[in-house]
Amino acid sequence: MAKSSKLPDVNDDPFCELRIYRVAAGRALDMEARVQGDLRTLFPRHGIHPLACWSTLVSPVSPAFIYLSPWANMNQRSASWAGFYSDPDWAEVRTRTNGPGELVESYEVMFVRAIVPWAGQAEACAFSELIIQNCAIGKTLAVTAELKEHAVPILTGEGARVHGIFDMMSGRPLPALAFLLAWDSLDQRSATLGRLDERSQANRALGSPVLLERAEQHLIRHLPVDWA
């Protein structure tokens, strides 16, 4: 049975919030305009400071908008979102930017904690990627060791940029990880992920337990926002 979803306690260490917004068909540019325009000032007004945000290029939920925000604790998060949703300026922005229909069809909220801390957005990369990877039950320590000792060196050795790797605490069947990576080309991505797969196959051949299972992959484009 999968590990149950658990919200972080109010006194826990800092965590991040990963959000995926499914955008109405044909309205990706409208979503980007809302973020780069009105939300650019509304979010910081209420203490919401995304580390980075992206639009999807190839994804099971395209078109979609994704962003990652840090929080000191759950109390801070709850107060910030309560202030945002009660702000009359947000009500006006939502109505105006929705236009003829809802801009956002649905959204997911995932709470994550860093295994490999956020290292910043690579501005010069061709594209980025969000990978949500299921993990084997009861293998948390082994997965963490594998990531730090082998997966990250393989990724960085091939020139990939690791924005961050996060342990998922809620929002998906657990245990799971969220990888945020940046690539220079599709060929680089294919070769690097191929090396990771070769290591997994070699471990299986030696009788090692399977640590990482099926993955959900989103190819994404960084959306620059000058947060006020």
Side-chain angles (χ1 to χ4, degrees):
M1 180 180 293
K3 177 177 152 187
S4 62
S5 177
K6 174 182 176 294
L7 296 182
D9 296 330
V10 294
N11 294 319
D12 275 356
D13 293 334
F15 64 96
C16 288
E17 180 175 2
L18 179 65
R19 288 196 171 210
I20 301 178
Y21 287 77
R22 190 159 191 167
V23 178
R27 303 201 62 191
L29 293 180
D30 292 338
M31 185 68 191
E32 292 182 9
R34 174 189 277 185
V35 174
Q36 291 179 312
D38 298 289
L39 294 186
R40 180 184 69 85
T41 56
L42 274 176
F43 271 9
R45 179 189 300 177
H46 297 286
I48 304 167
H49 300 281
L51 295 170
C53 53
W54 305 267
S55 291
T56 53
L57 297 169
V58 179
S59 164
V61 294
S62 281
F65 176 74
I66 299 170
Y67 64 97
L68 181 73
S69 301
W71 298 107
N73 52 56
M74 184 57 74
N75 278 340
Q76 181 198 45
R77 175 195 177 272
S78 298
S80 291
W81 281 115
F84 173 79
Y85 285 125
S86 63
D87 190 330
D89 286 346
W90 164 235
E92 185 278 328
V93 166
R94 182 175 178 275
T95 299
R96 170 168 46 82
T97 57
N98 272 343
E102 289 288 346
L103 180 53
V104 174
E105 294 184 338
S106 63
Y107 64 92
E108 291 184 79
V109 176
M110 291 158 273
F111 298 124
V112 299
R113 281 209 185 94
I115 295 174
V116 176
W118 176 254
Q121 173 67 40
E123 300 289 346
C125 66
F127 61 94
S128 297
E129 183 168 14
L130 167 64
I131 302 175
I132 298 175
Q133 179 90 56
N134 291 105
C135 305
I137 296 288
K139 301 295 183 183
T140 302
L141 293 179
V143 168
T144 300
E146 176 68 17
L147 289 174
K148 292 182 175 180
E149 295 172 15
H150 300 287
V152 170
I154 288 173
L155 288 165
T156 56
E158 295 293 331
R161 269 84 87 206
V162 179
H163 295 327
I165 302 176
F166 302 88
D167 179 31
M168 194 166 291
M169 300 182 293
S170 71
R172 288 296 180 90
L174 303 178
L177 301 174
F179 295 75
L180 280 162
L181 310 172
W183 305 103
D184 292 325
S185 67
L186 287 172
D187 286 344
Q188 178 203 37
R189 173 182 179 271
S190 178
T192 306
L193 295 184
R195 283 200 59 197
L196 291 174
D197 186 59
E198 287 172 4
R199 175 168 175 80
S200 295
Q201 296 295 336
N203 285 340
R204 288 190 183 96
L206 294 171
S208 300
V210 175
L211 298 179
L212 300 178
E213 300 174 345
R214 63 185 179 84
E216 175 186 311
Q217 295 165 300
H218 306 260
L219 300 187
I220 53 182
R221 173 178 59 86
H222 175 237
L223 182 67
V225 181
D226 182 17
W227 298 106

